[in-house]
Amino acid sequence: MTCWYEGPLAAFDTETTGVDVETDRIVSAAVVVQDAPGARPRVSRWLVNPGVPVSAEATAVHGLTEEHLQRNGRWPSPVMEEIARELGAQAARGRPLVVMNAPFDLTLLDRELRRHRASSLDRWFASAPLCVLDPRVLDKHLDRYRKGRRTLTDLCGHYGVVLADAHDAAADALAAMEVVRALGRRFAPRLERLTPTQLHTLQAVWHAAQARGLQAWFARTGTEEPVDPAWPLRPELPAAA
């Protein structure tokens, strides 16, 4: 029987105007689908005119200027619905969704849906639950004592995955998928008997524990930065917040 990491997977990634999931916007996104390792991936891409300024810092990361997005990007409202519909379709087909640092990308999409569609991400998974594989959470749990950073670039280097065009949404999504496949093979004795659905549930527990550990470390170093334990989607802030 084929293990989940050798079977069909989808992956999702975004590029944004910044790092605040409550206020920043999506400027590009991609969904990559692959039926098996080595198979030709099918890629859906979106370019968005966010309707807000794009900082020089954000452009320095992904290379998308405000002028380029105004000229070539689409309005957010239809794009966000198209992305959510595509993710829902992947869930309906039973494909696990790889998302590196899932609470960032999925929460941003949820907030964009609320902002532009008076909707939410949960609505698109009412009939087929979202099943996420987050290489960051998996790696931190399975190899917790390894020193060093765990960005996508770092994980690609560690697992021998080529990342040809970092901070392009499609390239990052495909690389995250390859990391998950490589991670599955490396830790097969611990993962092969678990289904993606079981892993989804476990990752929520693992991420919460990782967040508590990071929060404790921040407290010891005098860093006043809250760490959200929610995974894969952060809850909506109260209206008064």
Side-chain angles (χ1 to χ4, degrees):
M1 182 177 177
T2 302
C3 294
W4 58 263
Y5 49 83
E6 303 290 2
L9 294 175
F12 172 59
D13 189 74
T14 66
E15 297 301 327
T16 68
T17 60
V19 296
D20 188 326
V21 297
E22 302 298 338
T23 60
D24 279 302
R25 311 296 176 89
I26 293 172
V27 296
S28 71
V31 173
V32 177
V33 179
Q34 188 182 47
D35 293 327
R40 184 180 181 87
R42 302 186 295 279
V43 181
S44 299
R45 300 174 184 264
W46 294 267
L47 190 66
V48 186
N49 177 358
V52 299
V54 180
S55 69
E57 291 80 7
T59 296
V61 172
H62 48 60
L64 298 170
T65 66
E66 188 172 339
E67 180 184 7
H68 177 77
L69 294 169
Q70 288 176 348
R71 216 173 41 240
N72 300 287
R74 297 169 56 202
W75 288 114
S77 180
V79 170
M80 300 311 151
E81 181 165 347
E82 288 172 17
I83 296 171
R85 184 184 296 114
E86 178 63 22
L87 296 183
Q90 297 307 320
R93 294 184 180 99
R95 292 192 185 101
L97 181 67
V98 175
V99 190
M100 173 72 184
N101 191 17
F104 180 78
D105 293 83
L106 294 181
T107 303
L108 258 170
L109 177 58
D110 177 77
R111 302 313 191 251
E112 289 279 55
L113 287 165
R114 294 176 187 274
R115 184 178 293 121
H116 297 291
R117 304 295 302 183
S119 181
S120 69
L121 190 57
D122 289 341
R123 175 193 162 210
W124 296 92
F125 300 97
S127 58
L130 181 65
C131 180
V132 175
L133 299 170
D134 187 333
R136 186 170 181 268
V137 174
L138 291 169
D139 177 71
K140 287 181 73 173
H141 177 78
L142 295 165
D143 198 0
R144 68 181 70 186
Y145 299 113
R146 189 177 80 248
K147 301 293 185 182
R149 296 167 34 138
R150 301 188 193 234
T151 66
L152 179 59
T153 300
D154 297 318
L155 294 185
C156 285
H158 183 70
Y159 289 101
V161 172
V162 175
L163 178 54
D165 191 9
H167 300 295
D168 169 82
D172 285 358
L174 181 59
M177 182 189 294
E178 293 298 332
V179 167
V180 164
R181 293 195 189 280
L183 193 152
R185 296 182 194 111
R186 184 170 299 188
F187 295 99
R190 299 168 65 181
L191 295 176
E192 60 188 359
R193 295 185 181 181
L194 295 169
T195 67
T197 300
Q198 291 170 326
L199 270 176
H200 179 97
T201 300
L202 287 169
Q203 284 170 101
V205 177
W206 297 343
H207 179 271
Q210 292 162 9
R212 289 193 299 270
L214 182 57
Q215 193 73 78
W217 185 80
F218 280 164
R220 290 195 299 271
T221 59
T223 303
E224 296 182 4
E225 182 178 340
V227 182
D228 197 320
W231 183 97
L233 182 68
R234 296 178 188 172
E236 186 183 14
L237 289 175

